[in-house]
């Protein structure tokens, strides 16, 4: 699942590739992929890409004002396409248009230069979606307005302390986009390992010094962006070479202390941690923890 560093590098590369590109037409291959009705995707025709950015884990493609006068109220306002990649979506530019048989295609933005900005989704589930809205409506959109502060650059220490002061385990707490935006199942393991905090500590139990460690550990997100800047060329591959040090490395030695990394498996994800440094030497049992995390 693309998280803050992956979406950041995707947005940067798309921004460089698409700035000024003109839209010929736009359409959705899966009806469920478009969550907004007005304006329709067709309103993108004739517009130019102004910028590609992101909010939390969601890419945002901004389109300039429409050239078509008299196409109705608001037709000339700049538009924003908010994209939610969910777990298996990818937003990429292709030199050629997708084949109609491409079952991964969800939303296609065809450019006048022959290229295509395409939202694809792997797997059988159709969960990725887009919303098209006037640019000035983005901040007020429910998905955006409810987001916590961006995890990187890190919010002020005091704000982070306030946000995590909740009777919830750190692992789900930090993945809650309303608490802090951009962290998912991969980077939460890295952040907690960096901070030497148990995934099963409650946010409200943290001492001041522990919150400071958590705050400092958010820099792993920035380090990852820097890593991608060095290794990702113009095109972001389907599978990014994520610089993860502990996530899914169960059984391997901890890169810091050498203890054997342990993991707890859940239905849809796995939490990897260093028992020596994060859980006071305890290797936690899956069943007990599944109960704890409910
Ligand atoms: Zn360790």
């Amino acid at each position: 699942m693309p998280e803050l560093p992956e979406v950041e590098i995707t947005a940067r590369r798309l921004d460089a590739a698409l700035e000024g590109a003109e839209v010929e037409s736009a359409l959705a291959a899966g009806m469920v992929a478009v969550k907004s009705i007005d304006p329709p995707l067709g309103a993108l025709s004739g517009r130019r890409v102004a910028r590609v950015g992101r909010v939390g884990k969601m890419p945002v493609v901004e389109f300039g004002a429409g050239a078509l006068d008299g196409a109705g109220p608001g037709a000339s306002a700049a538009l924003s396409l908010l994209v939610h990649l969910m777990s298996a979506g990818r937003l990429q530019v292709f030199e050629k248009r997708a084949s109609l048989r491409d079952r991964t295609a969800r939303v296609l933005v065809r450019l006048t230069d022959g290229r295509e900005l395409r939202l694809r989704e792997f797997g059988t589930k159709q969960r990725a979606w887009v919303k098209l809205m006037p640019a000035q409506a983005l901040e007020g959109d429910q998905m955006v307005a409810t987001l916590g502060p961006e995890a990187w650059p890190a919010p002020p220490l005091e704000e982070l302390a306030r946000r995590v002061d909740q009777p919830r385990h750190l692992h789900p707490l930090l993945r809650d986009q309303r608490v802090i935006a951009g962290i998912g199942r991969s980077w939460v393991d890295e952040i907690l390992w960096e901070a030497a905090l148990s995934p099963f500590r409650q946010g409200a139990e943290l001492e001041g010094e522990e919150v400071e460690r958590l705050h400092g550990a958010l820099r792993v997100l920035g380090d990852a962006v820097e890593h991608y800047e060095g290794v990702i060329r113009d095109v972001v591959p389907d599978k990014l070479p994520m610089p993860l040090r502990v996530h899914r490395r169960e059984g391997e030695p901890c890169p810091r202390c050498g203890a054997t990394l342990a993991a707890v498996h859940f239905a849809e994800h796995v939490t990897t941690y260093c028992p020596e440094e994060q859980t006071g030497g305890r290797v936690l049992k899956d069943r007990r923890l599944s109960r704890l995390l409910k």
Side-chain angles (χ1 to χ4, degrees), residues 30-220:
M31 286 307 291
V32 291
V34 184
K35 274 200 168 186
S36 56
I37 298 166
D38 188 31
L41 280 184
L44 291 178
S45 299
R47 292 172 189 266
R48 288 182 186 276
V49 177
R51 181 176 168 267
V52 184
R54 66 159 184 90
V55 284
K57 295 190 279 189
M58 296 178 282
V60 180
V61 187
E62 294 170 19
F63 297 88
L68 301 169
D69 282 328
S76 62
L79 297 178
S80 288
L81 186 70
L82 178 68
V83 182
H84 203 309
L85 300 167
M86 297 302 289
S87 58
R90 296 289 183 275
L91 190 64
Q92 293 153 312
V93 186
F94 292 87
E95 291 301 319
K96 290 187 176 148
R97 290 171 180 182
S99 145
L100 290 175
R101 292 206 199 96
D102 181 354
R103 288 171 161 258
T104 65
R106 296 286 179 268
V107 176
L108 312 167
V109 180
R110 295 166 171 171
L111 305 170
T112 54
D113 59 19
R115 294 182 299 163
E116 184 172 82
L117 172 64
R118 200 180 304 159
L119 170 63
R120 295 191 301 156
E121 189 171 25
F122 299 95
T124 51
K125 290 176 186 160
Q126 290 204 13
R127 295 197 288 196
W129 54 257
V130 301
K131 272 188 200 175
L132 185 63
M133 63 190 90
Q136 74 264 24
L138 182 72
E139 259 184 53
D141 179 80
Q142 189 236 336
M143 284 300 292
V144 176
T146 55
L147 289 177
E150 294 284 341
W152 175 83
L157 177 64
E158 302 69 34
E159 183 174 9
L160 181 69
R162 232 178 12 253
R163 296 227 159 228
V164 299
D165 186 10
Q166 297 187 40
R168 297 168 64 190
H169 293 103
L170 289 176
H171 201 273
L173 184 65
L174 294 175
R175 286 185 290 121
D176 185 342
Q177 303 304 296
R178 295 165 301 181
V179 173
I180 187 160
I183 302 168
R185 290 166 180 170
S186 300
W187 287 104
V188 69
D189 279 0
E190 302 296 312
I191 291 164
L192 290 172
W193 176 80
E194 185 71 26
L197 290 170
S198 166
F200 309 106
R201 281 294 294 281
Q202 302 240 341
E205 289 171 359
L206 295 183
E207 309 282 345
E209 186 266 333
E210 291 173 313
V211 178
E212 277 176 34
R213 270 174 15 219
L214 180 62
H215 185 255
L218 293 174
R219 75 166 168 270
V220 300

Side-chain angles (χ1 to χ4, degrees), residues 254 257 274 277:
C254 167
C257 75
C274 170
E277 298 177 289

